[in-house]
Amino acid sequence: MERVKTGIPGLDEMLHGGFLPQTANLVEGAPGTGKTTLGMQFIYHGIVACEEPGIILTFEEFPQQYYRDAANFGWDFQQMEREGKLRVVMTSPEVTKADLERVGGRLEELIHEIGARRILVDSISHFERLSDDRSSLRELAYGFVNALKREGLTAVLTREQPALLGDVLSPEDGLAFLVDSYILLRYVEIESTMRKALLVLKMRGSDHDKGIRQFEITSRGIEVRTPFEGREGIMSGSPRRMMDSFVQAFVRR
Amino acid sequence: MEESQKKELDLTARLMSDMDPQLLEFLRTKINSFVKWDLVRFFHENPHTADTVENIARYAGRSSEAVRTELRELAEDGVLEETQLGSMTIYSLTSDPQIRELLRRFAEASDDRQFRIKAIYHIVRGSRGNPHVSHPGQYFKHNHTKH
């Protein structure tokens, strides 16, 4: 089956080759976990390795921030824009929503102008400000994701997770059910050091690696490493050694 | 004509004489306020942005009231495009390559301190005739410290 490679060592392996084409893929994590980096790497890899132009749709940061961040990894986004392979578009959710609802909107024009195949939406959390009503939010999310698919794009949507550690509280906008894959990035405290964990929670239409992997943000971008071994409760943020849990469970005090 | 007015005209002529005539014309006819200067710089740096008055004001660090008229005038002058999207009025950078090129040159020239001084002088002089700006010096001090 054809795959859309992220270009992230280790992640494509977890996804059994990459995302499925024309799908919406949610990447959720606390601030600083690497959601945007993952998305930028997905866009960069598409342009340089797959001849798939991309769009970064941002509701938060100015394009200059992306140029700077990308340059830190050696990715020249400004040059890619000049070559017509990338567009970094800053706008607001309300305008995007209205734009996608009409024929020949701006985003549609941009997609056709550069022949975009990939899109990073950073971040989808901003749609929450459009409505307080959960069912309206769900409809909005459905409409937005379907519009991206209609344009033939493979999308990475980032979503903020306010909790740095501990219980994860995802917004009840139904997005987790709607998307085709769901990747969770988390901070994990192990022996007084903070590490990062990645888990592919869901992948519709394909098998995937269910392990929780360590990852690092290096000078080349994200690199997914080996699974956490001999520990449990990783996604709680405060894992225990499995041996400790075993002792706790079986040894009577 | 009073002596002080004559002196000021002489100074203006000297300041503007070595400016690129196209940029000078652009400055005189299209960027005649500091808010507009900020807005065109914003759109030059974010050429794919299309948004409402309120959001553009937020991005530019200004109030909606401060940018509303300026955005409309920039659209009337062909620097921006005004589009009706449902109930929203959206502003984006013109697709006219000539205006975009002028903007690029203006942004490039603005990196030079001498050009900035001349441009600021021109805008301050121009804003004296603007009924919306009661005190150009104060306006400059509070709204345009970056330049």
Side-chain angles (χ1 to χ4, degrees):
Chain A
M1 190 183 287
E2 190 196 345
R3 297 285 178 156
V4 179
K5 288 190 183 300
T6 65
I8 297 169
L11 179 58
D12 285 329
E13 186 190 322
M14 292 178 80
L15 297 168
H16 288 197
F19 296 129
L20 291 172
Q22 298 179 29
T23 53
N25 306 282
L26 183 63
V27 178
E28 186 178 295
T33 45
K35 302 180 295 296
T36 302
T37 305
L38 190 153
M40 289 198 305
Q41 201 162 347
F42 163 74
I43 294 292
Y44 172 77
H45 183 76
I47 293 168
V48 299
C50 310
E51 293 184 7
E52 293 182 351
I55 289 176
I56 297 176
L57 189 64
T58 164
F59 302 134
E60 194 171 290
E61 303 285 0
F62 288 95
Q64 278 71 21
Q65 186 68 46
Y66 291 90
Y67 302 149
R68 272 197 297 270
D69 292 350
N72 285 334
F73 300 114
W75 310 333
D76 193 343
F77 275 11
Q78 281 182 290
Q79 180 59 28
M80 289 174 178
E81 282 220 298
R82 282 192 288 270
E83 290 170 0
K85 295 171 180 170
L86 173 70
R87 291 286 179 263
V88 185
V89 183
M90 189 178 74
T91 184
S92 53
E94 53 269 37
V95 170
T96 304
K97 175 183 169 283
D99 187 55
L100 285 169
E101 282 169 357
R102 66 177 182 154
V103 178
R106 273 177 193 283
L107 196 58
E108 193 182 323
E109 269 178 27
L110 273 183
I111 291 165
H112 293 158
E113 181 189 315
I114 64 166
R117 302 282 302 279
R118 299 181 178 212
I119 189 166
L120 163 64
V121 181
D122 195 23
S123 80
I124 195 90
S125 305
H126 288 263
F127 270 83
E128 286 166 31
R129 77 169 194 237
L130 294 185
S131 174
D132 293 327
D133 179 54
R134 284 177 194 166
S135 62
S136 300
L137 271 180
R138 203 164 296 138
E139 270 179 42
L140 266 174
Y142 267 89
F144 180 64
V145 168
N146 285 333
L148 297 180
K149 288 183 180 180
R150 203 165 49 236
E151 295 296 339
L153 298 167
T154 305
V156 166
L157 319 170
T158 66
R159 182 163 73 176
E160 290 287 335
Q161 171 52 246
L164 290 177
L165 291 168
D167 292 339
V168 176
L169 293 170
S170 292
E172 295 178 29
D173 54 8
L175 201 59
F177 298 100
L178 170 66
V179 293
D180 299 280
S181 83
Y182 187 1
I183 297 172
L184 198 57
L185 309 182
R186 295 235 61 193
Y187 287 113
V188 183
E189 186 191 347
I190 297 176
E191 287 153 6
S192 301
T193 60
M194 204 58 95
R195 299 204 216 159
K196 288 173 181 170
L198 182 150
L199 168 68
V200 180
L201 270 176
K202 156 187 171 178
M203 194 167 179
R204 188 179 284 150
S206 167
D207 195 12
H208 63 92
D209 184 340
K210 277 98 178 168
I212 301 167
R213 301 277 201 107
Q214 302 183 62
F215 75 94
E216 283 179 24
I217 301 177
T218 71
S219 59
R220 295 178 298 274
I222 286 181
E223 289 181 13
V224 179
R225 303 268 162 83
T226 53
F228 287 92
E229 283 179 358
R231 294 175 193 276
E232 62 177 19
I234 297 285
M235 299 319 272
S236 72
S238 305
R240 301 170 297 279
R241 285 179 191 282
M242 282 168 73
M243 185 56 78
D244 295 343
S245 302
F246 184 80
V247 170
Q248 264 188 357
F250 291 97
V251 177
R252 287 178 188 275
R253 290 170 192 267
Chain B
M1 188 181 288
E2 286 181 20
E3 196 60 30
S4 62
Q5 281 178 309
K6 272 186 185 172
K7 275 184 182 172
E8 190 171 346
L9 279 176
D10 287 348
L11 176 64
T12 309
R14 279 208 313 277
L15 277 173
M16 301 304 167
S17 62
D18 60 344
M19 274 181 99
D20 178 326
Q22 276 187 311
L23 287 185
L24 180 59
E25 184 64 11
F26 188 59
L27 190 66
R28 284 170 55 188
T29 58
K30 300 194 177 1
I31 309 175
N32 47 17
S33 78
F34 293 121
V35 177
K36 283 184 186 170
W37 188 339
D38 278 357
L39 289 170
V40 296
R41 191 184 55 196
F42 168 78
F43 277 102
H44 170 70
E45 290 173 354
N46 303 281
H48 311 298
T49 292
D51 225 318
T52 58
V53 170
E54 290 73 19
N55 286 325
I56 291 166
R58 191 161 50 84
Y59 304 145
R62 304 242 180 205
S63 68
S64 303
E65 292 68 36
V67 303
R68 193 178 306 278
T69 310
E70 313 292 82
L71 283 169
R72 199 181 57 234
E73 285 179 5
L74 283 169
E76 283 165 5
D77 287 338
V79 179
L80 301 182
E81 280 171 13
E82 188 183 281
T83 318
Q84 207 61 34
L85 197 57
S87 60
M88 292 181 287
T89 305
I90 306 298
Y91 290 95
S92 57
L93 186 60
T94 177
S95 51
D96 183 334
Q98 282 183 321
I99 299 269
R100 283 193 172 216
E101 174 57 16
L102 258 180
L103 258 183
R104 189 196 62 74
R105 284 168 53 199
F106 179 75
E108 205 174 88
S110 301
D111 288 339
D112 176 58
R113 188 169 175 270
Q114 289 305 315
F115 178 88
R116 284 202 304 274
I117 290 169
K118 291 170 191 173
I120 288 167
Y121 178 77
H122 173 79
I123 290 174
V124 171
R125 274 197 79 243
S127 62
R128 283 179 191 165
N130 184 344
H132 299 296
V133 183
S134 55
H135 191 309
Q138 187 182 32
Y139 184 77
F140 165 63
K141 189 178 170 187
H142 290 300
N143 291 310
H144 210 70
T145 49
K146 281 180 197 168
H147 296 299

